[in-house]
Amino acid sequence: MKTLSILPYCIIALFIALQGHAENQLVTYPAPKGAALNDDFTVRARIPGGEWQEVSPYLIKVDEVKDTKHHVEEASMASFDMSGTVEVSVTYNRGKIETAKVRPLSYQITPRIEENKIIFTLDQPRNLSVEVNNDIFHNLHLFANPVETEKPDPKDKDVIYFGPGIHQLKENKLEIPSGKTVYVAGGAVLMGQLLVENVRDVRIMGRGIIDHTVKMGIHLANARNIYVEGLYTTQCATGGCDSVTIRNLKSISYYGWGDGMNVFASNNVLYDGVFCRNSDDCTTVYATRKGFKGGCKNITMQNSTLWADVAHPIFIGLHSETEDFEVIENLKYINIDILDHKEKQVDYQGCLAINAGDNNLIRKVRFENIRIENFRQGQLVNLRIFYNKKYCTAPGMGIEDVLFKDISYTGENAEISIIAGYNEERKVKNIRFQNLRINGQLIYDEMPGKPAWYKTSDMCRFFIGEHVEDVTFTK
């Protein structure tokens, strides 16, 4: 009788255990023969209690600026797919581990150090930087992707399929026709650009790599209804497009003008879960530029990680068609970690930067739930209407209706942020800071300890200049 009474509970427990085991998945992709690898790290992963699997560490390059000079450094990149819980082991092959970090810090991943190994557990897909002894230029970029739920049939006539191996593209590029799906499998390396130009209804998917030597690895131009997901590349620009979704794409560049994910004169663009580490601006929104004409509207970046080795993590405005008074509007940046910002030139500083030029009007911009780590050099916020004669033919028309909500900065390197208009006709208006925290301190108009004769902006080291109206700081 006792055995019968506990049998149902044993069956339930077994079902739960099997279900949990089924949810834990790990997929690795061996690097193809001849691929450029980096032996700074040995990377392994496993389902808890299972066998360790090797994860190939590729060679990539990043840009270090020292004393205004650019130096190309060799870093590492590895990736796998996962669901449930996965353990990761990273062996450091360059010497002794004194300290180790796994960033973004907001993920609260505390690695365990065992001699020359770093061990930690992931309970969901993440895009990470693993850093030993505070070395951010020879680090491991570790991309734990979600397990693929959709793989196209290689035999489908509308599928261009690249299996594992190194693929040299004819004339160093592939021009993708309308209606096609390009699938780059894990373990595949493309030597050449994926070009989506004057077409529609194109998908680019997979877990493969566009080699780090290929500038502008993915280029979207005058296209409509485009979906890009899962690959590693150097850059991905979107110009003259409508209805674009870019999801879980990784962009790392090291050369001059190495912007990560530009938007030029495009509408209805969504970035979701992307990772950018770039040798120029990580992500920009411009109006007329590079032969693409018109304003921009409905641009969203969410659930993403940005790292600017040079220039801005987020930059809006600057370029436009002076005679057309173009508008950039309805922009959202939500749930973002900013890992670094390094820019000595004051004109090009700002983690969250809006600079209006060329008679453009920038309005209805929302920055929300953004965590900014201790960057090396620059400003937290830069909102200016200016006449930058190097790039513009006129000052901007205005910046209006900008919300900064739930923004935090932890660090000591931020220089004075700037908010400034141009003249009485070209103003910055209606700027709201809600729950702004600097090193844990909440900045708001009635904050305790603020002398009555201080501006609230003095408490966070923001300079609010002339031709600026209605700047508020609230809880």
Side-chain angles (χ1 to χ4, degrees), residues 175-190:
E175 298 183 15
I176 305 171
S178 291
K180 298 293 185 180
T181 294
V182 174
Y183 183 78
V184 185
V189 178
L190 299 188

Side-chain angles (χ1 to χ4, degrees), residues 417-429:
S417 291
I418 298 173
I419 303 176
Y422 190 80
N423 58 28
E424 283 302 300
E425 289 72 42
R426 301 170 184 263
K427 292 184 177 181
V428 177
K429 302 179 182 178

Side-chain angles (χ1 to χ4, degrees), residues 370-388:
I370 298 179
R371 300 160 295 277
I372 303 172
E373 298 188 15
N374 188 24
F375 52 78
R376 285 172 288 153
Q377 185 176 22
Q379 299 172 28
L380 183 62
V381 171
N382 188 293
L383 304 182
R384 287 184 298 149
I385 300 171
F386 64 8
Y387 186 8
N388 184 333

Side-chain angles (χ1 to χ4, degrees), residues 135-433:
D135 186 348
I136 62 173
F137 294 105
H138 306 92
N139 61 315
L140 170 66
H141 303 81
L142 184 63
F143 302 129
N145 301 296
V147 174
E148 291 180 283
T149 58
E150 181 183 4
K151 293 184 180 181
D153 183 355
K155 298 179 181 179
D156 188 325
K157 64 180 179 61
D158 289 326
V159 173
I160 302 171
Y161 189 93
F162 294 97
I166 298 177
H167 304 268
Q168 178 61 59
L169 301 183
K170 186 178 179 180
E171 297 181 354
N172 297 316
K173 66 181 177 181
L174 172 64
E175 298 183 15
I176 305 171
S178 291
K180 298 293 185 180
T181 294
V182 174
Y183 183 78
V184 185
V189 178
L190 299 188
M191 308 300 293
Q193 179 190 71
L194 297 179
L195 177 59
V196 183
E197 186 172 21
N198 298 317
V199 296
R200 61 181 300 148
D201 305 323
V202 167
R203 296 193 303 167
I204 300 172
M205 307 167 60
R207 294 292 183 264
I209 294 170
I210 298 175
D211 193 74
H212 72 270
T213 60
V214 180
K215 295 183 179 181
M216 192 57 71
I218 299 175
H219 189 50
L220 314 179
N222 302 316
R224 183 179 180 86
N225 192 24
I226 309 300
Y227 180 82
V228 181
E229 187 268 330
L231 303 186
Y232 160 83
T233 185
T234 49
Q235 299 170 277
C236 180
T238 300
C241 294
D242 197 336
S243 302
V244 174
T245 296
I246 298 174
R247 180 165 283 125
N248 190 29
L249 191 72
K250 300 90 175 177
S251 163
I252 302 178
S253 57
Y254 59 92
Y255 40 79
W257 311 107
D259 289 18
M261 299 187 184
N262 296 117
V263 176
F264 308 109
S266 296
N267 300 320
N268 305 309
V269 179
L270 170 65
Y271 297 97
D272 185 19
V274 302
F275 179 99
C276 294
R277 180 179 184 176
N278 299 110
S279 51
D280 211 315
D281 304 312
C282 290
T283 183
T284 68
V285 178
Y286 301 140
T288 291
R289 176 72 168 160
K290 300 280 188 181
F292 305 108
K293 298 185 68 66
C296 290
K297 64 181 179 182
N298 303 333
I299 313 297
T300 298
M301 176 175 280
Q302 62 189 23
N303 310 320
S304 297
T305 303
L306 306 178
W307 179 332
D309 282 319
V310 186
H312 311 86
I314 298 173
F315 189 36
I316 302 165
L318 188 59
H319 303 293
S320 190
E321 180 60 62
T322 298
E323 295 179 357
D324 291 343
F325 296 89
E326 293 168 342
V327 177
I328 298 173
E329 62 183 344
N330 297 333
L331 278 56
K332 297 178 183 178
Y333 299 86
I334 300 172
N335 191 29
I336 291 173
D337 287 279
I338 294 178
L339 304 191
D340 204 359
H341 168 39
K342 175 70 169 72
E343 181 54 70
K344 187 177 181 65
Q345 299 176 91
V346 176
D347 270 353
Y348 305 108
Q349 292 183 345
C351 287
L352 313 177
I354 304 176
N355 292 170
D358 282 343
N359 277 332
N360 63 24
L361 172 63
I362 304 164
R363 63 189 180 193
K364 299 179 182 177
V365 182
R366 185 182 189 96
F367 300 98
E368 182 174 356
N369 194 17
I370 298 179
R371 300 160 295 277
I372 303 172
E373 298 188 15
N374 188 24
F375 52 78
R376 285 172 288 153
Q377 185 176 22
Q379 299 172 28
L380 183 62
V381 171
N382 188 293
L383 304 182
R384 287 184 298 149
I385 300 171
F386 64 8
Y387 186 8
N388 184 333
K389 294 184 180 180
K390 185 175 181 179
Y391 295 109
C392 303
T393 59
M397 283 301 299
I399 299 172
E400 301 176 357
D401 302 324
V402 182
L403 172 64
F404 297 87
K405 182 179 180 182
D406 300 331
I407 310 297
S408 66
Y409 169 63
T410 303
E412 64 276 352
N413 295 327
E415 300 179 15
I416 295 177
S417 291
I418 298 173
I419 303 176
Y422 190 80
N423 58 28
E424 283 302 300
E425 289 72 42
R426 301 170 184 263
K427 292 184 177 181
V428 177
K429 302 179 182 178
N430 190 22
I431 310 301
R432 294 174 292 153
F433 293 91

Side-chain angles (χ1 to χ4, degrees), residues 88-161:
V88 178
S89 169
V90 177
T91 302
Y92 183 57
N93 299 321
R94 291 175 56 128
K96 184 179 179 181
I97 298 176
E98 300 290 348
T99 63
K101 291 180 184 176
V102 180
R103 299 198 296 153
L105 297 177
S106 67
Y107 295 163
Q108 298 183 326
I109 298 172
T110 303
R112 185 171 78 252
I113 300 174
E114 295 183 359
E115 297 180 348
N116 67 331
K117 288 184 180 180
I118 303 163
I119 299 172
F120 56 92
T121 299
L122 298 177
D123 60 6
Q124 59 182 293
R126 297 289 198 188
N127 292 327
L128 305 171
S129 171
V130 180
E131 300 160 12
V132 174
N133 302 337
N134 297 314
D135 186 348
I136 62 173
F137 294 105
H138 306 92
N139 61 315
L140 170 66
H141 303 81
L142 184 63
F143 302 129
N145 301 296
V147 174
E148 291 180 283
T149 58
E150 181 183 4
K151 293 184 180 181
D153 183 355
K155 298 179 181 179
D156 188 325
K157 64 180 179 61
D158 289 326
V159 173
I160 302 171
Y161 189 93

